[in-house]
Amino acid sequence: MSVPSWWGRRLYRCLVQAAGDLGPALVPPAHIAVLYYFWRKSSRHVDKRYCSCSCWDTVFKGSYESGIASYKHVYFNATKNSAKIWILTVIFIIAFYEAICYLTTLLINRRLRYSMLILFISAIFSHYYSWWIYVNYWNDDYYSQWNHQLVFTVTELLSTMLVLSLANKNEAFSHYKALAVSVVGLSHIIAGGWDQFVLNVVRGEGRSHQIVRDINLMLPDILPFLVPIYEMQRHCNRTVLSSLFCGATPNDLKREVETCLPGELVWVKCNLCLCNLEGQPNTVCAKMWCQPTPKYHYDGDDVDTREIVN
């Protein structure tokens, strides 16, 4: 018995939404669990009965509590920085949710380019780290590293947006976007290595949590540097160096169509080619030789005096 289409659509929507919910719901607890693992021996025991907090303005409790407050699991003051933290958190959660829903939709419809999925997963920690850093900057009123972190954050966002735009394998693979992702990854490798990675990891001068942090920040930079180059090489059938400029050289194939649907027949010059799963005409067919169109020279007579001009 076949499943009714209504139930199929319902199940599809539930799967997409569940996948989108799991990311924002599980990443922060996992982060705190990792912190607890490294800092549990140095953490303080909190006596909930006798502890108090005099730095809390008690605004969000209204008339229910004032003065020096008793223990709370979460404190926050009614300040501009608290509003900034809240807005940033909402934007982060919505963006994370939408990205996962988009990738899940592609996966269910068998249109997902798995190499881009790997890049997205590898970048989750970097984006989460950026969110956490800005929360702490605003929470502590500490801004000496703000501009330094902002460069990493903006370029990471740009790289991830390009990765998401390349995730649909039914759309033509853009070598320019892939090259941009690779350049961002390389720049982060150089900057990160110069900044902390060599000192903390290579030389072994960092503490255990610093080593884990730097490795998790370096991995999302190495993969975005290597994977796009592999994809460009695979699509161009060239060497690594020449694949960096695939699609930009004069000798590259000039198609009459940029994208097409898998299984669709399209004309490329004189050849009728089948569109492949990458959303492009078959490479072998598209590069087949076409006979030049003959050009004729007339000497004034109507017939029998035409000569083919080579």
Side-chain angles (χ1 to χ4, degrees):
M1 180 177 178
S2 61
V3 179
S5 59
W6 184 87
W7 286 104
R9 292 193 300 269
R10 185 73 175 178
L11 178 61
Y12 168 82
R13 187 162 56 249
C14 289
L15 288 175
V16 172
Q17 292 177 347
D21 293 336
L22 285 176
L26 296 180
V27 172
H31 169 227
I32 300 302
V34 172
L35 288 179
Y36 180 79
Y37 172 80
F38 284 106
W39 296 104
R40 64 184 186 276
K41 295 181 180 179
S42 303
S43 62
R44 292 175 51 195
H45 173 71
V46 178
D47 190 338
K48 298 180 182 180
R49 295 174 298 173
Y50 301 108
C51 69
S52 62
C53 179
S54 60
C55 297
W56 177 37
D57 60 20
T58 70
V59 169
F60 83 84
K61 292 294 287 185
S63 60
Y64 292 97
E65 190 168 1
S66 60
I68 298 178
S70 60
Y71 174 83
K72 299 289 184 296
H73 290 281
V74 176
Y75 297 88
F76 70 87
N77 292 319
T79 63
K80 291 181 180 179
N81 278 14
S82 295
K84 294 175 184 177
I85 292 172
W86 172 252
I87 293 172
L88 177 67
T89 302
V90 171
I91 293 174
F92 174 82
I93 292 175
I94 293 176
F96 195 13
Y97 171 84
E98 292 294 338
I100 294 179
C101 287
Y102 173 68
L103 294 175
T104 304
T105 301
L106 294 180
L107 177 63
I108 293 176
N109 293 323
R110 299 180 180 180
R111 293 188 284 119
L112 179 62
R113 187 173 278 123
Y114 290 101
S115 58
M116 298 300 110
L117 175 63
I118 294 173
L119 293 186
F120 177 81
I121 294 175
S122 69
I124 290 177
F125 178 79
S126 297
H127 291 300
Y128 179 81
Y129 181 80
S130 294
W131 167 79
W132 182 251
I133 284 294
Y134 286 118
V135 167
N136 281 275
Y137 285 167
W138 278 322
N139 195 40
D140 300 338
D141 281 321
Y142 174 82
Y143 305 106
S144 64
Q145 295 292 322
W146 180 277
N147 293 334
H148 177 78
Q149 180 61 37
L150 185 63
V151 174
F152 281 93
T153 301
V154 172
T155 51
E156 284 166 359
L157 287 173
L158 174 63
S159 176
T160 300
M161 287 189 291
L162 293 175
V163 166
L164 290 174
S165 69
L166 293 170
N168 190 346
K169 68 180 182 181
N170 283 1
E171 296 181 1
F173 184 83
S174 172
H175 302 87
Y176 301 105
K177 293 180 181 179
L179 182 59
V181 173
S182 185
V183 169
V184 170
L186 178 60
S187 64
H188 283 190
I189 291 173
I190 297 174
W194 183 270
D195 187 19
Q196 294 176 328
F197 186 82
V198 173
L199 182 65
N200 292 337
V201 180
V202 178
R203 295 184 179 179
E205 298 180 9
R207 302 174 68 177
S208 58
H209 72 279
Q210 292 175 323
I211 294 175
V212 172
R213 177 201 63 190
D214 292 342
I215 291 176
N216 280 279
L217 288 175
M218 183 60 71
L219 181 63
D221 296 332
I222 295 176
L223 289 178
F225 171 62
L226 296 178
V227 173
I229 293 178
Y230 165 77
E231 285 290 338
M232 287 188 288
Q233 183 181 9
R234 189 169 67 88
H235 283 80
C236 292
N237 294 321
R238 298 182 183 178
T239 61
V240 173
L241 291 178
S242 62
S243 66
L244 296 177
F245 305 98
C246 180
T249 60
N251 295 326
D252 282 340
L253 175 65
K254 295 182 179 179
R255 299 188 177 95
E256 296 177 9
V257 292
E258 294 294 333
T259 60
C260 52
L261 297 176
E264 181 182 8
L265 290 174
V266 293
W267 284 102
V268 181
K269 297 182 180 179
C270 67
N271 302 309
L272 186 61
C273 303
L274 186 67
C275 187
N276 59 25
L277 294 178
E278 302 296 335
Q280 298 176 343
N282 180 272
T283 305
V284 176
C285 171
K287 292 184 178 180
M288 292 181 66
W289 179 80
C290 290
Q291 181 178 1
T293 303
K295 298 180 181 179
Y296 296 97
H297 170 70
Y298 292 87
D299 61 358
D301 295 333
D302 291 333
V303 292
D304 298 330
T305 56
R306 294 180 298 176
E307 297 178 356
I308 297 179
V309 179
N310 294 324

